[in-house]
Amino acid sequence: MNLIDPLIEFQPELQQIRRDIHAYPELCYEEQRTAGVVAQKLTDWGIPVLRGMGGTGVVGIIKAGSSARAVGLRADMDALPMQELNTFAHASRHTGKMHACGHDGHTAMLLGAAHYLAQQRNFDGTVYVIFQPAEEGGAGARAMMEHGLFEQCPMDAVFGMHNWPGAAVGTFGVTPGPMMASSNEFEVIVQGKGAHAAQPHKGVDPIMVAVQIAQGWQTIVSRNKSPIDAGVLSITQIHAGSATNVIPDEATLIGTVRTFNTEVLNLIEQRMRAVAQHTAAAFDAQVDFRFKRNYPPLVNHVKETALAVEVLQAMVGTRNVNAAVEPTMGAEDFAFMLQQKPGCYVFIGNGEGAHRTMGHGLGPCNLHNPSYDFNDELLPIGASYWVRLAQAYLSR
Ligand SMILES: [Zn+2]
Ligand SMILES: [Zn+2]
């Protein structure tokens, strides 16, 4: 691996920062301490900061040379509402909160790059280091944009990165086009008419209607969308009734829809609504259809992805960069940024779990698992990528 030497030497300090953040995890929009640590480090290193953007977001501004061009590098800072099972020294001090997605590591890697870029100033233009709140369901990226991120910090492109357990350390995965799915949720309430269970003819049974709707919806994925397009519709909850001898008034269907593009999503939502409404009408029931779009699909831009691949190949070798990685149905709010700015999001291999030593829980080292821990070996790798990417982007 062709990493940046001062970043290899800086690894112990980055590890200490990473483990400190890991020990004090904070949830969506509560990242006060974490944002404080980030802002303090940036300030100590002579980097001007903007604070409170989109709630708890922080941006560091690093300038060199005379070019008007600018690039954004983005990390996320929030943790998850879950109990950590690890018992090592840097395990969570906050009951029921845990850095189980590695955002502690993302923050530390970007801090490492900021430190190096501020010391060396060996690039031409402006690098914005963006530390966002609330990636885990809170749309912190969008909150920063609504607060004026791209107006206050005008940038030509923006880049993101996430650790990927199971992929070897020193490898990267990326693909042009859709890489992560849109995430959407629905709640559909079928309004029938309650009755005695022995006198169904005096009511309208919402359970039977809900079952017909559930069956009908599955034909959307199998019969309406093109078999080439990816999409999934999962009903994850059905709620109705409270007694064995009562036909309830209503039944509720809850679940999620994931797609890689908006056209397929539009089609699925529209068909779901039609099937629900017409099925309900056929049975003399009513339906309250609620569909909420959370995160859009994450779509990498072709030119910026080619640049990221070039930078990565020069750093870790061609065979360690999967430039056509299989997309995942997970979602990521960096997608909002890529809707407004060209850019690219990559996966950085977090290792197979060999980095785990004493004190780990018994579970696998997977994202959102209570035994997960970010792999500190990645710190100089991810930081080196950020630096080389910024330098390369601004040089062309
Ligand atoms: Zn996550
Ligand atoms: Zn994450």
Side-chain angles (χ1 to χ4, degrees):
M1 267 189 285
N2 170 24
L3 303 182
I4 295 171
D5 288 335
L7 283 171
I8 297 173
E9 287 152 28
F10 202 51
Q11 199 275 352
E13 179 154 354
L14 289 178
Q15 174 170 313
Q16 188 258 318
I17 294 170
R18 201 284 291 180
R19 293 186 176 190
D20 171 68
I21 295 172
H22 187 94
Y24 298 97
E26 295 171 302
L27 304 182
C28 284
Y29 295 115
E30 294 173 0
E31 306 91 343
Q32 297 290 352
R33 182 188 182 276
T34 311
V37 169
V38 167
Q40 189 59 53
K41 292 290 176 196
L42 294 174
T43 305
D44 289 349
W45 300 334
I47 301 168
V49 295
L50 300 172
R51 291 202 59 175
M53 195 179 285
T56 46
V58 181
V59 183
I61 304 161
I62 314 167
K63 288 178 184 289
S66 56
S67 166
R69 299 191 69 214
V71 65
L73 310 175
R74 168 276 198 181
D76 37 17
M77 300 189 290
D78 57 318
L80 286 155
M82 57 189 282
Q83 185 60 40
E84 179 158 7
L85 289 184
N86 300 315
T87 56
F88 45 52
H90 62 281
S92 173
R93 312 286 204 264
H94 293 163
T95 306
K97 300 175 187 176
M98 177 189 177
H99 270 292
C101 206
H103 299 183
D104 50 344
H106 301 165
T107 298
M109 290 191 293
L110 188 54
L111 280 174
H115 178 260
Y116 175 87
L117 289 167
Q119 275 205 330
Q120 306 294 328
R121 308 272 170 178
N122 49 1
F123 59 96
D124 192 12
T126 304
V127 178
Y128 293 107
V129 286
I130 305 163
F131 299 86
Q132 75 152 77
E135 192 288 319
E136 299 285 359
R142 189 176 57 196
M144 287 187 85
M145 288 159 60
E146 286 170 354
H147 199 119
L149 171 65
F150 292 143
E151 290 74 32
Q152 291 181 53
C153 307
M155 59 192 79
D156 302 300
V158 65
F159 291 86
M161 167 161 52
H162 206 292
N163 75 96
W164 208 248
V169 171
T171 68
F172 286 82
V174 63
T175 187
M179 187 153 119
M180 298 185 84
S182 69
S183 160
N184 316 278
E185 59 190 64
F186 58 84
E187 178 172 354
V188 175
I189 301 163
V190 179
Q191 190 68 49
K193 197 171 135 203
H196 195 293
Q199 298 174 317
H201 57 290
K202 291 186 177 170
V204 174
D205 185 350
I207 293 178
M208 294 316 294
V209 181
V211 167
Q212 301 280 346
I213 290 172
Q215 302 252 31
W217 279 348
Q218 290 311 315
T219 66
I220 300 171
V221 172
S222 65
R223 303 290 86 179
N224 294 143
K225 95 173 166 50
S226 159
I228 307 300
D229 290 326
V232 59
L233 188 177
S234 289
I235 299 161
T236 52
Q237 302 176 44
I238 298 184
H239 299 289
S242 56
T244 45
N245 57 355
V246 176
I247 292 169
D249 261 331
E250 58 180 49
T252 305
L253 298 157
I254 292 172
T256 183
V257 172
R258 309 269 170 132
T259 71
F260 285 126
N261 72 59
T262 309
E263 291 71 43
V264 175
L265 177 59
N266 290 344
L267 170 79
I268 292 178
E269 180 184 345
Q270 174 221 320
R271 290 296 302 142
M272 283 179 74
R273 186 189 303 273
V275 168
Q277 285 173 344
H278 294 298
T279 304
F283 290 97
D284 248 351
Q286 252 102 53
V287 79
D288 180 7
F289 185 89
R290 295 175 204 164
F291 195 97
K292 189 164 153 257
R293 299 186 179 202
N294 294 330
Y295 291 173
L298 184 145
V299 183
N300 278 333
H301 296 241
V302 172
K303 231 175 85 187
E304 286 67 25
T305 303
L307 175 70
V309 168
E310 199 183 307
V311 167
L312 289 171
Q313 286 179 339
M315 193 173 90
V316 295
T318 309
R319 68 191 173 83
N320 288 320
V321 182
N322 182 353
V325 79
E326 186 175 81
T328 148
M329 278 284 171
E332 157 68 70
D333 81 343
F334 185 65
F336 287 115
M337 293 193 179
L338 290 183
Q339 285 185 323
Q340 283 197 15
K341 296 282 174 189
C344 172
Y345 181 83
V346 303
F347 294 141
I348 175 171
N350 193 50
E352 315 277 356
H355 60 284
R356 302 193 343 150
T357 48
M358 287 292 288
H360 281 271
L362 294 175
C365 193
N366 289 341
L367 297 177
H368 294 210
N369 184 282
S371 301
Y372 170 86
D373 193 31
F374 183 84
N375 185 348
D376 286 316
E377 264 186 79
L378 269 59
L379 294 167
I381 304 174
S384 292
Y385 165 62
W386 278 142
V387 168
R388 295 253 167 78
L389 178 71
Q391 290 171 330
Y393 183 83
L394 294 172
S395 75
R396 52 189 80 190

